[in-house]
Amino acid sequence: MNIYKKIYREIKKAKTIVIARHVGADPDALGSSLGLKQVILDNFPNKKIYVIGSPAARFRFIGDLDKLPENYDELYKNALLIVTDTPDHRRVDGVDPRRFNRSIKIDHHPFVEQMCQIEWIDDTASSASQMILEFVFKTRLQFTKEAAEKLYAGLIADTNRFLFANSTPKTFELVSKLIKTTNIDITKTYENLYKRPYKEIKFQGYLSENFIITENNVGYIKINDETLKKYNVDAAMPGNMINNFNHINEMLVWVTFTEDKELGSYRVSVRSRGPIINEVLARHGGGGHIYASGARLKTDEEMDSLIYDLDLVTKEYLEKASN
Ligand code: AMP
């Protein structure tokens, strides 16, 4: 049986479904989980579906999240868990997938570990949202405009409007089919994703002015809580903005370190236009995609050690490229 059928059968069978995704909600995590919920509800209106995890105010437009009922043991035993956009149990927001009797992973990160019974991993997919599109088109499920718009938002964010190399012929084929069949409002989706208050542009100005760039073209910036307060932005903001610093001649790899006072650590976001970075991040307790990774670090020494290692892979990359 192919993977689409396998997943479809599990969904059809389940009365209650919990959908989870990774901590630090971003549009693909939210789009894939909330989009999947909408698809299932549109096709099976009697199922009980909970999409869980901490919300992100910036991406409220994708949809509202649910609270799980108190009786976790009952859920572990009888509900189907679907985790989207998350490669390992430690990054799942809200539940431990290993406790569920029935579970499915749908993910486009490189494999980290098996945490669900059924795992569909495609690290050539641009986004988890793209995988949900593919799944729906391969089954008897039907799309409504509402579901389609959530998934489109996730795909657009993870491809950065088809800018990244993860936009493949399959991406365009699926999106073309989606637009033909659902009449989604593309302009509205872009407005929702990209409209922002002026204070964010001012903050972006601060970032632009303050990147430090190494000899080997690694740009980095450490942002403390005081600066976040001064610009009235939250600790997720630099990570949300990091793609805006693409295509700068002098930065082949670029990093934001953002103090997260609440958790007493730094959020690290890294992007690359060449050197493979996820292996480096994995050595520093993080992970991610080959050109888009992250981690959490505690001290200045840890941050400097990461910069050192990123600088080293970038140097090696440049040397190879010049040979
Ligand atoms: P971000 O910069 O937060 O958008 O994250 C980029 C990629 O890195 C995402 O695919 C995340 O899954 C991954 N990532 C971010 N933070 C971590 C972390 N602490 N541990 C493992 N992977 C992470």
Side-chain angles (χ1 to χ4, degrees):
M1 196 191 309
N2 68 38
I3 190 71
Y4 316 110
K5 260 199 184 144
K6 243 187 195 172
I7 295 175
Y8 180 85
R9 249 182 35 171
E10 288 295 319
I11 290 174
K12 198 163 173 223
K13 233 170 31 191
K15 283 200 178 83
T16 304
I17 301 174
V18 178
I19 305 178
R21 40 71 190 172
H22 64 74
V23 290
D26 60 20
D28 188 35
L30 293 164
S32 59
S33 52
L34 289 161
L36 179 61
K37 172 183 176 177
Q38 195 64 49
V39 169
I40 300 172
L41 277 184
D42 290 339
N43 289 272
F44 301 105
N46 295 326
K47 292 193 191 296
K48 188 84 207 130
I49 307 181
Y50 303 93
V51 178
I52 58 161
S54 302
R58 183 95 175 73
F59 308 120
R60 264 296 290 283
F61 71 91
I62 300 176
D64 291 327
L65 297 163
D66 305 299
K67 270 223 156 64
L68 277 182
E70 295 292 300
N71 194 346
Y72 272 44
D73 286 338
E74 167 67 21
L75 286 173
Y76 293 147
K77 211 164 113 201
N78 296 319
L80 168 67
L81 173 74
I82 305 177
V83 182
T84 67
D85 199 28
T86 317
D88 56 341
H89 76 274
R90 97 196 147 102
R91 299 260 304 149
V92 178
D93 194 351
V95 284
D96 184 341
R98 299 167 306 177
R99 302 196 61 173
F100 281 75
N101 276 344
R102 286 182 296 149
S103 57
I104 297 171
K105 181 208 275 183
I106 300 176
D107 185 34
H108 74 127
H109 290 86
F111 176 79
V112 175
E113 65 171 19
Q114 169 135 22
M115 63 176 181
C116 295
Q117 275 130 25
I118 298 173
E119 299 215 335
W120 177 30
I121 297 162
D122 179 2
D123 64 7
T124 68
S126 67
S127 50
S129 299
Q130 176 180 316
M131 294 177 75
I132 307 292
L133 290 189
E134 181 179 346
F135 165 67
V136 173
F137 284 132
K138 292 275 190 185
T139 63
R140 262 170 284 165
L141 296 166
Q142 296 294 316
F143 265 128
T144 58
K145 186 171 177 232
E146 198 182 351
E149 282 178 350
K150 294 178 196 300
L151 294 163
Y152 187 70
L155 185 149
I156 283 307
D158 260 29
T159 61
N160 204 1
R161 278 170 286 174
F162 309 106
L163 181 78
F164 298 148
N166 61 8
S167 307
T168 62
K170 197 187 224 177
T171 312
F172 288 104
E173 275 160 23
L174 288 165
V175 165
S176 167
K177 201 166 170 188
L178 188 76
I179 294 171
K180 269 189 218 148
T181 51
T182 63
N183 196 25
I184 53 175
D185 189 340
I186 291 175
T187 314
K188 189 183 83 187
T189 305
Y190 289 133
E191 276 243 348
N192 281 332
L193 268 176
Y194 298 112
K195 207 170 68 157
R196 59 226 191 273
Y198 183 51
K199 67 175 183 183
E200 288 184 17
I201 297 304
K202 287 190 187 163
F203 181 61
Q204 194 171 307
Y206 168 83
L207 299 183
S208 305
E209 293 272 9
N210 290 286
F211 266 99
I212 295 169
I213 303 176
T214 70
E215 220 178 285
N216 294 308
N217 297 0
V218 175
Y220 67 91
I221 181 165
K222 296 176 181 174
I223 305 141
N224 62 24
D225 187 61
E226 212 173 285
T227 305
L228 295 176
K229 288 218 169 79
K230 181 174 163 201
Y231 286 90
N232 189 20
V233 293
D234 65 24
M237 194 49 67
N240 291 337
M241 281 183 173
I242 192 161
N243 289 334
N244 299 344
F245 294 92
N246 200 344
H247 299 126
I248 295 170
N249 283 344
E250 292 79 359
M251 298 204 300
L252 202 52
V253 168
W254 61 108
V255 192
T256 58
F257 297 99
T258 312
E259 186 176 9
D260 185 338
K261 204 141 195 204
E262 241 170 72
L263 295 183
S265 60
Y266 281 81
R267 295 183 188 206
V268 186
S269 281
V270 191
R271 297 294 183 270
S272 166
R273 255 180 307 115
I276 291 177
I277 52 174
N278 58 347
E279 291 158 5
V280 180
L281 271 293
R283 291 204 301 274
H284 291 260
H289 304 282
I290 54 174
Y291 302 134
S293 296
R296 282 240 169 216
L297 297 176
K298 283 237 182 279
T299 64
D300 225 35
E301 288 71 33
E302 286 174 355
M303 291 191 269
D304 291 344
S305 161
L306 175 63
I307 295 165
Y308 181 87
D309 285 350
L310 287 170
D311 197 56
L312 206 61
V313 289
T314 310
K315 183 168 182 251
E316 283 164 9
Y317 175 87
L318 288 170
E319 279 167 2
K320 244 193 212 148
S322 71
N323 281 332

